[in-house]
Short mmCIF file of all heavy atoms in Angstrom, two decimals:
data_model
loop_
_atom_site.label_atom_id
_atom_site.label_comp_id
_atom_site.label_asym_id
_atom_site.label_seq_id
_atom_site.Cartn_x
_atom_site.Cartn_y
_atom_site.Cartn_z
N ALA A 147 121.05 83.50 98.42
CA ALA A 147 120.07 83.51 97.45
C ALA A 147 118.68 83.48 97.89
O ALA A 147 117.66 83.95 97.31
CB ALA A 147 120.24 82.29 96.52
N PHE A 148 118.49 82.93 99.15
CA PHE A 148 117.12 82.70 99.62
C PHE A 148 116.78 83.72 100.80
O PHE A 148 115.74 83.55 101.42
CB PHE A 148 116.91 81.32 100.17
CG PHE A 148 116.58 80.36 99.10
CD1 PHE A 148 117.54 79.78 98.29
CD2 PHE A 148 115.26 80.04 98.81
CE1 PHE A 148 117.21 78.93 97.27
CE2 PHE A 148 114.82 79.15 97.76
CZ PHE A 148 115.90 78.63 97.02
N PHE A 149 117.65 84.69 100.99
CA PHE A 149 117.32 85.72 101.98
C PHE A 149 116.47 86.85 101.40
O PHE A 149 116.95 87.90 101.00
CB PHE A 149 118.53 86.27 102.62
CG PHE A 149 118.32 87.29 103.79
CD1 PHE A 149 117.97 86.74 105.01
CD2 PHE A 149 118.34 88.63 103.63
CE1 PHE A 149 117.74 87.61 106.03
CE2 PHE A 149 118.06 89.47 104.62
CZ PHE A 149 117.71 88.94 105.87
N VAL A 150 115.24 86.46 101.23
CA VAL A 150 114.32 87.42 100.46
C VAL A 150 113.14 87.72 101.37
O VAL A 150 112.65 86.92 102.12
CB VAL A 150 113.92 86.82 99.14
CG1 VAL A 150 115.07 86.68 98.22
CG2 VAL A 150 113.11 85.53 99.29
N GLU A 151 112.52 88.99 101.21
CA GLU A 151 111.29 89.26 101.85
C GLU A 151 110.05 89.10 100.82
O GLU A 151 110.28 89.00 99.71
CB GLU A 151 111.38 90.79 102.23
CG GLU A 151 112.54 91.13 103.19
CD GLU A 151 112.29 90.87 104.60
OE1 GLU A 151 111.19 90.45 104.81
OE2 GLU A 151 113.28 90.85 105.40
N LYS A 152 108.96 89.03 101.48
CA LYS A 152 107.81 88.92 100.61
C LYS A 152 107.54 90.33 99.97
O LYS A 152 107.22 91.26 100.65
CB LYS A 152 106.54 88.60 101.42
CG LYS A 152 105.28 88.43 100.57
CD LYS A 152 104.11 87.89 101.45
CE LYS A 152 102.80 87.77 100.52
NZ LYS A 152 101.67 87.44 101.35
N PRO A 153 107.53 90.41 98.63
CA PRO A 153 107.37 91.68 97.99
C PRO A 153 105.93 92.06 97.83
O PRO A 153 105.08 91.28 97.73
CB PRO A 153 108.13 91.47 96.65
CG PRO A 153 107.80 90.02 96.30
CD PRO A 153 107.80 89.35 97.64
N GLU A 154 105.76 93.40 97.74
CA GLU A 154 104.38 93.89 97.40
C GLU A 154 104.70 95.01 96.39
O GLU A 154 105.41 95.95 96.67
CB GLU A 154 103.70 94.42 98.69
CG GLU A 154 103.32 93.26 99.68
CD GLU A 154 102.28 92.34 99.12
OE1 GLU A 154 101.62 92.78 98.15
OE2 GLU A 154 102.14 91.26 99.61
N TYR A 155 103.93 94.99 95.40
CA TYR A 155 104.02 96.12 94.32
C TYR A 155 102.64 96.79 94.29
O TYR A 155 101.73 96.17 93.70
CB TYR A 155 104.43 95.62 92.96
CG TYR A 155 104.73 96.72 91.90
CD1 TYR A 155 105.86 97.38 92.06
CD2 TYR A 155 103.82 96.97 90.98
CE1 TYR A 155 106.19 98.40 91.19
CE2 TYR A 155 104.12 98.01 90.08
CZ TYR A 155 105.30 98.67 90.15
OH TYR A 155 105.61 99.71 89.23
N ALA A 156 102.49 97.90 94.93
CA ALA A 156 101.19 98.51 95.05
C ALA A 156 100.78 99.35 93.92
O ALA A 156 99.53 99.71 93.64
CB ALA A 156 101.12 99.29 96.32
N THR A 157 101.75 99.78 93.07
CA THR A 157 101.45 100.63 91.92
C THR A 157 100.64 99.91 90.85
O THR A 157 100.83 98.76 90.51
CB THR A 157 102.71 101.20 91.29
OG1 THR A 157 103.52 101.76 92.28
CG2 THR A 157 102.50 102.13 90.20
N ARG A 158 99.56 100.65 90.38
CA ARG A 158 98.68 99.99 89.37
C ARG A 158 99.40 99.73 88.05
O ARG A 158 99.17 98.65 87.38
CB ARG A 158 97.48 100.78 89.21
CG ARG A 158 96.44 100.23 88.34
CD ARG A 158 95.22 101.11 88.17
NE ARG A 158 94.25 100.47 87.18
CZ ARG A 158 93.08 101.15 87.00
NH1 ARG A 158 92.75 102.29 87.50
NH2 ARG A 158 92.31 100.57 86.06
N TRP A 159 100.18 100.71 87.61
CA TRP A 159 100.80 100.64 86.19
C TRP A 159 102.11 99.91 86.36
O TRP A 159 102.97 100.24 87.05
CB TRP A 159 101.00 101.95 85.67
CG TRP A 159 99.67 102.72 85.65
CD1 TRP A 159 99.28 103.77 86.39
CD2 TRP A 159 98.57 102.51 84.81
NE1 TRP A 159 98.07 104.26 86.00
CE2 TRP A 159 97.61 103.47 85.03
CE3 TRP A 159 98.35 101.58 83.63
CZ2 TRP A 159 96.42 103.54 84.45
CZ3 TRP A 159 97.12 101.66 83.07
CH2 TRP A 159 96.15 102.58 83.35
N VAL A 160 102.21 98.84 85.50
CA VAL A 160 103.48 98.11 85.51
C VAL A 160 104.31 98.66 84.32
O VAL A 160 103.84 98.65 83.20
CB VAL A 160 103.11 96.49 85.24
CG1 VAL A 160 104.47 95.79 85.09
CG2 VAL A 160 102.41 96.01 86.47
N GLN A 161 105.55 98.96 84.59
CA GLN A 161 106.46 99.41 83.57
C GLN A 161 107.63 98.48 83.52
O GLN A 161 107.72 97.43 84.14
CB GLN A 161 106.95 100.87 84.00
CG GLN A 161 105.86 101.92 84.19
CD GLN A 161 106.32 103.23 84.65
OE1 GLN A 161 107.47 103.30 85.10
NE2 GLN A 161 105.45 104.21 84.58
N TRP A 162 108.53 98.84 82.54
CA TRP A 162 109.64 97.90 82.29
C TRP A 162 110.57 97.62 83.47
O TRP A 162 111.17 96.55 83.54
CB TRP A 162 110.52 98.48 81.10
CG TRP A 162 111.28 99.70 81.54
CD1 TRP A 162 110.96 101.00 81.47
CD2 TRP A 162 112.60 99.70 82.03
NE1 TRP A 162 111.94 101.85 81.95
CE2 TRP A 162 113.10 100.99 82.30
CE3 TRP A 162 113.57 98.67 82.43
CZ2 TRP A 162 114.22 101.36 82.88
CZ3 TRP A 162 114.81 98.96 82.87
CH2 TRP A 162 115.05 100.43 83.15
N ASN A 163 110.62 98.69 84.37
CA ASN A 163 111.46 98.51 85.54
C ASN A 163 110.79 97.98 86.83
O ASN A 163 111.29 98.13 87.94
CB ASN A 163 112.26 99.75 85.85
CG ASN A 163 111.24 100.97 86.18
OD1 ASN A 163 110.04 100.82 85.91
ND2 ASN A 163 111.77 101.90 86.81
N SER A 164 109.49 97.68 86.70
CA SER A 164 108.77 97.27 87.86
C SER A 164 109.26 96.07 88.54
O SER A 164 109.20 95.92 89.77
CB SER A 164 107.17 97.08 87.44
OG SER A 164 106.66 98.27 86.98
N GLY A 165 109.73 95.09 87.68
CA GLY A 165 110.33 93.96 88.22
C GLY A 165 111.55 94.27 89.10
O GLY A 165 111.83 93.58 90.12
N LEU A 166 112.42 95.16 88.72
CA LEU A 166 113.61 95.65 89.40
C LEU A 166 113.14 96.22 90.83
O LEU A 166 113.86 95.99 91.75
CB LEU A 166 114.34 96.57 88.59
CG LEU A 166 114.94 96.05 87.33
CD1 LEU A 166 115.68 97.16 86.57
CD2 LEU A 166 115.90 94.82 87.55
N ILE A 167 112.02 96.94 90.79
CA ILE A 167 111.49 97.50 92.02
C ILE A 167 111.11 96.37 93.01
O ILE A 167 111.42 96.43 94.19
CB ILE A 167 110.33 98.48 91.77
CG1 ILE A 167 110.77 99.64 90.88
CG2 ILE A 167 109.76 98.86 93.08
CD1 ILE A 167 109.79 100.58 90.41
N VAL A 168 110.45 95.42 92.50
CA VAL A 168 109.99 94.23 93.35
C VAL A 168 111.26 93.54 93.85
O VAL A 168 111.36 93.17 95.04
CB VAL A 168 109.11 93.37 92.55
CG1 VAL A 168 108.82 91.98 93.35
CG2 VAL A 168 107.80 94.03 92.23
N LEU A 169 112.24 93.38 93.00
CA LEU A 169 113.49 92.67 93.38
C LEU A 169 114.16 93.46 94.52
O LEU A 169 114.65 92.84 95.45
CB LEU A 169 114.49 92.62 92.14
CG LEU A 169 115.60 91.62 92.25
CD1 LEU A 169 115.13 90.25 92.43
CD2 LEU A 169 116.54 91.80 91.06
N GLY A 170 114.13 94.77 94.48
CA GLY A 170 114.69 95.60 95.52
C GLY A 170 113.96 95.38 96.89
O GLY A 170 114.50 95.28 97.92
N GLN A 171 112.61 95.19 96.73
CA GLN A 171 111.79 94.99 97.85
C GLN A 171 112.06 93.61 98.50
O GLN A 171 112.14 93.37 99.65
CB GLN A 171 110.33 95.06 97.51
CG GLN A 171 109.77 96.39 97.06
CD GLN A 171 108.38 96.40 96.68
OE1 GLN A 171 107.78 95.43 96.50
NE2 GLN A 171 107.81 97.65 96.42
N MET A 172 112.37 92.60 97.67
CA MET A 172 112.71 91.29 98.09
C MET A 172 113.91 91.20 98.94
O MET A 172 113.97 90.43 99.89
CB MET A 172 112.79 90.38 96.96
CG MET A 172 111.46 90.11 96.19
SD MET A 172 111.70 89.18 94.62
CE MET A 172 112.38 87.66 95.15
N PHE A 173 114.99 92.00 98.55
CA PHE A 173 116.22 92.01 99.33
C PHE A 173 116.37 93.21 100.22
O PHE A 173 117.47 93.51 100.66
CB PHE A 173 117.39 92.05 98.33
CG PHE A 173 117.52 90.72 97.56
CD1 PHE A 173 116.98 90.49 96.37
CD2 PHE A 173 118.13 89.70 98.20
CE1 PHE A 173 117.08 89.32 95.65
CE2 PHE A 173 118.33 88.51 97.49
CZ PHE A 173 117.81 88.29 96.23
N ALA A 174 115.25 93.85 100.62
CA ALA A 174 115.24 95.02 101.49
C ALA A 174 115.77 94.61 102.87
O ALA A 174 116.28 95.41 103.57
CB ALA A 174 113.87 95.67 101.61
N GLY A 175 115.52 93.38 103.24
CA GLY A 175 115.93 92.88 104.54
C GLY A 175 117.50 92.88 104.72
O GLY A 175 117.96 92.90 105.94
N LEU A 176 118.23 92.98 103.66
CA LEU A 176 119.74 92.96 103.84
C LEU A 176 120.27 94.32 104.39
O LEU A 176 121.24 94.32 104.93
CB LEU A 176 120.38 92.85 102.37
CG LEU A 176 120.15 91.43 101.75
CD1 LEU A 176 120.67 91.47 100.31
CD2 LEU A 176 120.94 90.37 102.57
N ALA A 177 119.37 95.28 104.41
CA ALA A 177 119.77 96.67 104.99
C ALA A 177 119.69 96.57 106.46
O ALA A 177 120.35 97.33 107.13
CB ALA A 177 118.85 97.77 104.44
N ASN A 178 118.96 95.61 107.03
CA ASN A 178 118.78 95.54 108.50
C ASN A 178 119.66 94.42 109.02
O ASN A 178 119.33 93.22 109.03
CB ASN A 178 117.28 95.31 108.88
CG ASN A 178 117.09 95.43 110.38
OD1 ASN A 178 118.02 95.54 111.17
ND2 ASN A 178 115.80 95.49 110.72
N LEU A 179 120.94 94.69 109.36
CA LEU A 179 121.96 93.78 109.74
C LEU A 179 121.55 93.02 111.02
O LEU A 179 121.70 91.82 111.15
CB LEU A 179 123.30 94.38 109.87
CG LEU A 179 124.44 93.46 110.20
CD1 LEU A 179 124.61 92.48 109.18
CD2 LEU A 179 125.72 94.28 110.53
N LYS A 180 120.93 93.69 111.93
CA LYS A 180 120.62 93.07 113.25
C LYS A 180 119.61 91.94 113.07
O LYS A 180 119.62 90.90 113.61
CB LYS A 180 120.06 94.11 114.17
CG LYS A 180 119.80 93.53 115.56
CD LYS A 180 119.39 94.61 116.57
CE LYS A 180 119.02 94.09 117.90
NZ LYS A 180 118.60 95.19 118.91
N SER A 181 118.54 92.21 112.26
CA SER A 181 117.55 91.08 112.02
C SER A 181 117.98 90.12 111.07
O SER A 181 117.48 88.97 110.90
CB SER A 181 116.24 91.79 111.66
OG SER A 181 116.46 92.44 110.21
N MET A 182 119.03 90.42 110.26
CA MET A 182 119.55 89.50 109.23
C MET A 182 120.36 88.42 109.84
O MET A 182 120.33 87.23 109.27
CB MET A 182 120.38 90.29 108.12
CG MET A 182 120.87 89.45 107.04
SD MET A 182 121.96 90.37 105.94
CE MET A 182 123.27 90.68 106.92
N ILE A 183 121.00 88.61 110.87
CA ILE A 183 122.06 87.62 111.43
C ILE A 183 121.34 86.26 111.74
O ILE A 183 121.75 85.19 111.25
CB ILE A 183 122.71 88.17 112.66
CG1 ILE A 183 123.66 89.36 112.23
CG2 ILE A 183 123.56 87.14 113.33
CD1 ILE A 183 124.36 90.02 113.32
N PRO A 184 120.21 86.25 112.58
CA PRO A 184 119.57 84.99 112.78
C PRO A 184 119.12 84.19 111.59
O PRO A 184 119.25 82.95 111.43
CB PRO A 184 118.47 85.23 113.74
CG PRO A 184 118.62 86.65 114.23
CD PRO A 184 119.48 87.28 113.21
N VAL A 185 118.63 85.00 110.58
CA VAL A 185 118.08 84.32 109.39
C VAL A 185 119.17 83.72 108.55
O VAL A 185 119.14 82.51 108.20
CB VAL A 185 117.28 85.26 108.56
CG1 VAL A 185 116.82 84.66 107.25
CG2 VAL A 185 116.18 85.98 109.23
N VAL A 186 120.32 84.47 108.44
CA VAL A 186 121.37 83.90 107.63
C VAL A 186 122.07 82.72 108.43
O VAL A 186 122.39 81.66 107.70
CB VAL A 186 122.49 84.93 107.44
CG1 VAL A 186 123.77 84.44 106.88
CG2 VAL A 186 121.95 86.10 106.57
N VAL A 187 122.17 82.76 109.70
CA VAL A 187 122.68 81.64 110.40
C VAL A 187 121.85 80.38 110.24
O VAL A 187 122.35 79.26 110.05
CB VAL A 187 122.83 82.04 111.93
CG1 VAL A 187 123.17 80.82 112.75
CG2 VAL A 187 123.94 83.04 112.17
N ASN A 188 120.51 80.63 110.35
CA ASN A 188 119.60 79.45 110.24
C ASN A 188 119.64 78.81 108.83
O ASN A 188 119.57 77.67 108.59
CB ASN A 188 118.21 79.90 110.58
CG ASN A 188 118.02 80.14 112.10
OD1 ASN A 188 118.81 79.56 112.94
ND2 ASN A 188 117.07 80.96 112.44
N LEU A 189 119.76 79.70 107.78
CA LEU A 189 119.75 79.21 106.46
C LEU A 189 121.05 78.46 106.17
O LEU A 189 121.05 77.46 105.50
CB LEU A 189 119.57 80.39 105.50
CG LEU A 189 118.18 80.98 105.41
CD1 LEU A 189 118.23 82.20 104.46
CD2 LEU A 189 117.15 80.03 104.88
N VAL A 190 122.24 78.97 106.73
CA VAL A 190 123.47 78.31 106.54
C VAL A 190 123.43 76.96 107.32
O VAL A 190 123.93 75.93 106.81
CB VAL A 190 124.65 79.09 107.12
CG1 VAL A 190 125.96 78.31 107.13
CG2 VAL A 190 124.84 80.31 106.21
N MET A 191 122.84 76.93 108.52
CA MET A 191 122.72 75.61 109.24
C MET A 191 121.87 74.71 108.52
O MET A 191 122.12 73.49 108.47
CB MET A 191 122.20 75.96 110.64
CG MET A 191 123.12 76.71 111.56
SD MET A 191 122.37 77.10 113.10
CE MET A 191 122.16 75.39 113.83
#
């Protein structure tokens, strides 16, 4: 739940799906398995 990145939404116009875009940015780190391992281990610990 807490493995999230700091999101940035640069687009000026906010639409109904803008929150979903930000949500995708928050969990973008899940795609990088190598950098994810120490974070997940530390959060579990």
Side-chain angles (χ1 to χ4, degrees):
F148 277 84
F149 187 76
V150 295
E151 303 281 349
K152 182 179 179 180
E154 293 291 343
Y155 189 75
T157 305
R158 181 178 179 183
W159 304 107
V160 175
Q161 301 176 349
W162 71 270
N163 62 340
S164 298
L166 297 175
I167 297 175
V168 172
L169 195 64
Q171 294 174 351
M172 291 169 62
F173 288 97
L176 291 172
N178 191 348
L179 182 61
K180 185 177 179 180
S181 63
M182 180 183 73
I183 293 176
V185 180
V186 172
V187 170
N188 288 337
L189 288 175
V190 171
M191 290 178 63

